[in-house]
Amino acid sequence: MALDLNSDLGEGFGPWTMGDDAAMLDIVTSANIACGFHAGDPSIMRATCATAVRNGVRIGAHVGYRDLVGFGRRAIAVAPAELRDEVLYQIGALDAFAKTAGDRVRYVKPHGALYHAAAADRELAEALITALAEYDAELALLGPAGTELETAAAEAKIRFVGEGFADRAYTASGSLAPRGLPGAVLHAEEAVAQAMSIAASRTARTIDGGEVAVSAASLCVHGDTPAAVEMARRIRASLAESGVPVEPFA
């Protein structure tokens, strides 16, 4: 079974940069590009879309809470209707730059705190899905399988793509271990091993040494993880050596 390899990119702001987007776009097959709410700005969105299109990488809208200071990783109380409109706004903004570069937005992935909140909260999940469907019902949703996001997508007849994380430790419940815990962010060797485990058996080791099921058609390596480029390159090479095709889901 083929696997997609994705990364969160375009997460700088003005003169401030995060990660090596150009190098990552030589490796991954899908790019979750920040849309200006948790990170990114119009010039970065334009440049990242252009590089993605040149490299044949699929473009996804990485939508988040309006939280530049907290990088979208802080829980924010947002009414579902307001969230719907903010997600729609972000998709449309990125799609303008994607179309200018010669392609279009192919999918949507929530970021950070919104990712976790919408996975657990049905109203937020439905708000996000409504925005996606209003913009283009052909867009896919990339997110955690077995959550409210997958359920809401199925009911709205929106294509859902399960995501696994190569560079983050899991808890026994299948959620990501909080970043503040020791061992929550994996090193390169651990990330490669986890990617191969998800590819081979759809399982991952938990932070306490157990095992948890991970249903994924796409693997994420965060662009801001230390040594992210080396990690992504080694994961792609290991998948290829194991006979697992690496190709975009969109």
Side-chain angles (χ1 to χ4, degrees):
M1 179 179 174
L3 272 177
D4 173 68
L5 187 59
N6 79 75
S7 188
D8 302 343
L9 302 174
E11 292 184 320
F13 189 78
W16 182 76
T17 59
M18 175 180 283
D20 189 343
D21 286 2
M24 289 296 280
L25 285 166
D26 271 334
I27 302 166
V28 300
T29 47
S30 296
N32 320 312
I33 300 177
C35 303
F37 270 36
H38 76 276
D41 61 37
S43 295
I44 291 174
M45 292 161 70
R46 175 189 284 272
T48 311
C49 284
T51 305
V53 171
R54 284 197 301 271
N55 290 18
V57 176
R58 299 294 187 268
I59 294 171
H62 201 28
V63 299
Y65 286 134
R66 192 196 299 262
D67 182 26
L68 284 171
V69 172
F71 195 62
R73 288 178 176 162
R74 299 184 293 188
I76 296 178
V78 179
E82 184 179 354
L83 177 64
R84 175 203 62 206
D85 294 344
E86 291 192 346
V87 169
L88 183 61
Y89 181 97
Q90 292 175 79
I91 297 170
L94 187 68
D95 197 39
F97 291 113
K99 287 178 177 176
T100 297
D103 200 355
R104 61 184 175 85
V105 168
R106 307 280 184 148
Y107 66 94
V108 174
K109 174 186 169 180
H111 165 81
L114 178 58
Y115 188 96
H116 300 296
D121 187 309
R122 182 57 175 273
E123 285 191 317
L124 296 182
E126 289 179 347
L128 197 153
I129 291 294
T130 297
L132 185 157
E134 285 180 342
Y135 191 83
D136 182 355
E138 295 301 313
L139 293 173
L141 176 68
L142 179 62
T147 66
E148 295 292 352
L149 282 168
E150 182 173 17
T151 301
E155 292 186 356
K157 296 181 172 54
I158 295 297
R159 182 188 176 198
F160 179 84
V161 179
E163 180 180 38
F165 289 86
D167 56 355
R168 292 291 307 283
Y170 283 87
T171 67
S173 67
S175 61
L176 296 182
R179 285 179 175 269
L181 289 180
V185 178
L186 305 185
H187 298 297
E189 290 289 345
E190 299 169 313
V192 173
Q194 180 151 294
M196 297 309 298
S197 178
I198 293 173
S201 62
R202 296 300 186 263
T203 61
R205 297 282 291 176
T206 62
I207 197 165
D208 59 2
E211 188 174 85
V212 66
V214 179
S215 178
S218 181
L219 288 173
C220 178
V221 175
H222 289 90
D224 64 332
T225 295
V229 172
E230 175 199 354
M231 191 180 291
R233 186 175 290 118
R234 290 177 60 184
I235 288 170
R236 179 151 190 172
S238 295
L239 290 170
E241 289 170 6
S242 298
V244 178
V246 180
E247 56 189 47
F249 63 81

